[in-house]
PDB file of all heavy atoms in Angstrom:
ATOM      1  N   GLY D 138      -6.893  -5.828  20.719  1.00 96.00           N
ATOM      2  CA  GLY D 138      -6.514  -5.821  19.317  1.00 96.00           C
ATOM      3  C   GLY D 138      -7.583  -6.404  18.414  1.00 96.00           C
ATOM      4  O   GLY D 138      -8.715  -6.637  18.807  1.00 96.00           O
ATOM      5  N   VAL D 139      -7.181  -6.626  17.142  1.00 95.00           N
ATOM      6  CA  VAL D 139      -8.079  -7.205  16.142  1.00 95.00           C
ATOM      7  C   VAL D 139      -7.302  -8.204  15.309  1.00 95.00           C
ATOM      8  O   VAL D 139      -6.150  -7.957  14.933  1.00 95.00           O
ATOM      9  CB  VAL D 139      -8.665  -6.129  15.204  1.00 95.00           C
ATOM     10  CG1 VAL D 139      -9.518  -6.772  14.109  1.00 95.00           C
ATOM     11  CG2 VAL D 139      -9.488  -5.113  15.985  1.00 95.00           C
ATOM     12  N   THR D 140      -7.906  -9.351  15.039  1.00 93.00           N
ATOM     13  CA  THR D 140      -7.362 -10.316  14.098  1.00 93.00           C
ATOM     14  C   THR D 140      -8.462 -10.684  13.135  1.00 93.00           C
ATOM     15  O   THR D 140      -9.526 -11.141  13.552  1.00 93.00           O
ATOM     16  CB  THR D 140      -6.850 -11.581  14.822  1.00 93.00           C
ATOM     17  OG1 THR D 140      -5.890 -11.205  15.810  1.00 93.00           O
ATOM     18  CG2 THR D 140      -6.200 -12.541  13.831  1.00 93.00           C
ATOM     19  N   GLU D 141      -8.207 -10.476  11.841  1.00 92.00           N
ATOM     20  CA  GLU D 141      -9.237 -10.728  10.829  1.00 92.00           C
ATOM     21  C   GLU D 141      -8.664 -11.607   9.726  1.00 92.00           C
ATOM     22  O   GLU D 141      -7.456 -11.660   9.513  1.00 92.00           O
ATOM     23  CB  GLU D 141      -9.722  -9.388  10.253  1.00 92.00           C
ATOM     24  CG  GLU D 141     -10.911  -9.489   9.320  1.00 92.00           C
ATOM     25  CD  GLU D 141     -12.100 -10.152   9.974  1.00 92.00           C
ATOM     26  OE1 GLU D 141     -12.870  -9.466  10.675  1.00 92.00           O
ATOM     27  OE2 GLU D 141     -12.240 -11.383   9.779  1.00 92.00           O
ATOM     28  N   TYR D 142      -9.561 -12.315   9.044  1.00 90.00           N
ATOM     29  CA  TYR D 142      -9.167 -13.161   7.933  1.00 90.00           C
ATOM     30  C   TYR D 142      -9.895 -12.702   6.676  1.00 90.00           C
ATOM     31  O   TYR D 142     -11.101 -12.471   6.698  1.00 90.00           O
ATOM     32  CB  TYR D 142      -9.508 -14.625   8.201  1.00 90.00           C
ATOM     33  CG  TYR D 142      -9.153 -15.529   7.034  1.00 90.00           C
ATOM     34  CD1 TYR D 142      -7.877 -16.063   6.919  1.00 90.00           C
ATOM     35  CD2 TYR D 142     -10.089 -15.806   6.051  1.00 90.00           C
ATOM     36  CE1 TYR D 142      -7.546 -16.856   5.837  1.00 90.00           C
ATOM     37  CE2 TYR D 142      -9.764 -16.599   4.972  1.00 90.00           C
ATOM     38  CZ  TYR D 142      -8.487 -17.122   4.861  1.00 90.00           C
ATOM     39  OH  TYR D 142      -8.158 -17.901   3.783  1.00 90.00           O
ATOM     40  N   VAL D 143      -9.163 -12.548   5.569  1.00 90.00           N
ATOM     41  CA  VAL D 143      -9.717 -12.112   4.294  1.00 90.00           C
ATOM     42  C   VAL D 143      -9.529 -13.218   3.263  1.00 90.00           C
ATOM     43  O   VAL D 143      -8.415 -13.721   3.073  1.00 90.00           O
ATOM     44  CB  VAL D 143      -9.026 -10.814   3.799  1.00 90.00           C
ATOM     45  CG1 VAL D 143      -9.428 -10.501   2.367  1.00 90.00           C
ATOM     46  CG2 VAL D 143      -9.374  -9.652   4.720  1.00 90.00           C
ATOM     47  N   ASP D 144     -10.616 -13.596   2.625  1.00 91.00           N
ATOM     48  CA  ASP D 144     -10.572 -14.603   1.564  1.00 91.00           C
ATOM     49  C   ASP D 144     -10.339 -13.871   0.242  1.00 91.00           C
ATOM     50  O   ASP D 144     -11.269 -13.349  -0.367  1.00 91.00           O
ATOM     51  CB  ASP D 144     -11.891 -15.386   1.534  1.00 91.00           C
ATOM     52  CG  ASP D 144     -11.894 -16.481   0.465  1.00 91.00           C
ATOM     53  OD1 ASP D 144     -10.809 -16.799  -0.061  1.00 91.00           O
ATOM     54  OD2 ASP D 144     -12.974 -17.014   0.179  1.00 91.00           O
ATOM     55  N   ALA D 145      -9.076 -13.785  -0.177  1.00 92.00           N
ATOM     56  CA  ALA D 145      -8.732 -13.056  -1.395  1.00 92.00           C
ATOM     57  C   ALA D 145      -7.482 -13.670  -2.012  1.00 92.00           C
ATOM     58  O   ALA D 145      -6.685 -14.323  -1.333  1.00 92.00           O
ATOM     59  CB  ALA D 145      -8.505 -11.570  -1.091  1.00 92.00           C
ATOM     60  N   ASP D 146      -7.304 -13.437  -3.309  1.00 91.00           N
ATOM     61  CA  ASP D 146      -6.193 -13.990  -4.071  1.00 91.00           C
ATOM     62  C   ASP D 146      -5.052 -12.978  -4.130  1.00 91.00           C
ATOM     63  O   ASP D 146      -5.265 -11.819  -4.512  1.00 91.00           O
ATOM     64  CB  ASP D 146      -6.674 -14.347  -5.482  1.00 91.00           C
ATOM     65  CG  ASP D 146      -5.688 -15.225  -6.243  1.00 91.00           C
ATOM     66  OD1 ASP D 146      -4.467 -15.004  -6.107  1.00 91.00           O
ATOM     67  OD2 ASP D 146      -6.135 -16.120  -6.980  1.00 91.00           O
ATOM     68  N   PHE D 147      -3.867 -13.422  -3.793  1.00 93.00           N
ATOM     69  CA  PHE D 147      -2.667 -12.585  -3.838  1.00 93.00           C
ATOM     70  C   PHE D 147      -2.496 -11.936  -5.208  1.00 93.00           C
ATOM     71  O   PHE D 147      -1.972 -10.826  -5.328  1.00 93.00           O
ATOM     72  CB  PHE D 147      -1.469 -13.467  -3.488  1.00 93.00           C
ATOM     73  CG  PHE D 147      -0.116 -12.815  -3.634  1.00 93.00           C
ATOM     74  CD1 PHE D 147       0.139 -11.575  -3.100  1.00 93.00           C
ATOM     75  CD2 PHE D 147       0.916 -13.470  -4.289  1.00 93.00           C
ATOM     76  CE1 PHE D 147       1.393 -10.979  -3.214  1.00 93.00           C
ATOM     77  CE2 PHE D 147       2.162 -12.906  -4.411  1.00 93.00           C
ATOM     78  CZ  PHE D 147       2.406 -11.644  -3.877  1.00 93.00           C
ATOM     79  N   ARG D 148      -2.942 -12.617  -6.262  1.00 94.00           N
ATOM     80  CA  ARG D 148      -2.791 -12.108  -7.625  1.00 94.00           C
ATOM     81  C   ARG D 148      -3.779 -10.988  -7.944  1.00 94.00           C
ATOM     82  O   ARG D 148      -3.734 -10.437  -9.041  1.00 94.00           O
ATOM     83  CB  ARG D 148      -2.946 -13.259  -8.625  1.00 94.00           C
ATOM     84  CG  ARG D 148      -1.828 -14.300  -8.512  1.00 94.00           C
ATOM     85  CD  ARG D 148      -2.168 -15.563  -9.269  1.00 94.00           C
ATOM     86  NE  ARG D 148      -3.302 -16.261  -8.650  1.00 94.00           N
ATOM     87  CZ  ARG D 148      -3.731 -17.465  -9.043  1.00 94.00           C
ATOM     88  NH1 ARG D 148      -3.134 -18.090 -10.039  1.00 94.00           N
ATOM     89  NH2 ARG D 148      -4.762 -18.023  -8.434  1.00 94.00           N
ATOM     90  N   GLU D 149      -4.644 -10.644  -7.000  1.00 95.00           N
ATOM     91  CA  GLU D 149      -5.587  -9.544  -7.159  1.00 95.00           C
ATOM     92  C   GLU D 149      -5.354  -8.499  -6.062  1.00 95.00           C
ATOM     93  O   GLU D 149      -6.120  -8.394  -5.093  1.00 95.00           O
ATOM     94  CB  GLU D 149      -7.022 -10.071  -7.100  1.00 95.00           C
ATOM     95  CG  GLU D 149      -7.331 -11.082  -8.204  1.00 95.00           C
ATOM     96  CD  GLU D 149      -8.723 -11.674  -8.074  1.00 95.00           C
ATOM     97  OE1 GLU D 149      -9.329 -11.579  -6.981  1.00 95.00           O
ATOM     98  OE2 GLU D 149      -9.201 -12.226  -9.071  1.00 95.00           O
ATOM     99  N   PRO D 150      -4.260  -7.740  -6.179  1.00 97.00           N
ATOM    100  CA  PRO D 150      -3.891  -6.821  -5.088  1.00 97.00           C
ATOM    101  C   PRO D 150      -4.964  -5.803  -4.768  1.00 97.00           C
ATOM    102  O   PRO D 150      -5.113  -5.404  -3.606  1.00 97.00           O
ATOM    103  CB  PRO D 150      -2.617  -6.144  -5.605  1.00 97.00           C
ATOM    104  CG  PRO D 150      -2.613  -6.386  -7.080  1.00 97.00           C
ATOM    105  CD  PRO D 150      -3.294  -7.686  -7.290  1.00 97.00           C
ATOM    106  N   GLU D 151      -5.737  -5.363  -5.778  1.00 97.00           N
ATOM    107  CA  GLU D 151      -6.788  -4.380  -5.501  1.00 97.00           C
ATOM    108  C   GLU D 151      -7.821  -4.959  -4.539  1.00 97.00           C
ATOM    109  O   GLU D 151      -8.284  -4.279  -3.623  1.00 97.00           O
ATOM    110  CB  GLU D 151      -7.464  -3.942  -6.807  1.00 97.00           C
ATOM    111  CG  GLU D 151      -6.541  -3.211  -7.775  1.00 97.00           C
ATOM    112  CD  GLU D 151      -5.701  -4.157  -8.616  1.00 97.00           C
ATOM    113  OE1 GLU D 151      -5.900  -5.401  -8.502  1.00 97.00           O
ATOM    114  OE2 GLU D 151      -4.857  -3.675  -9.375  1.00 97.00           O
TER     115      GLU D 151
END
Side-chain angles (χ1 to χ4, degrees):
V139 176
T140 304
E141 187 57 84
Y142 178 87
V143 170
D144 182 13
D146 194 322
F147 173 48
R148 294 167 293 186
E149 299 176 343
E151 296 82 5

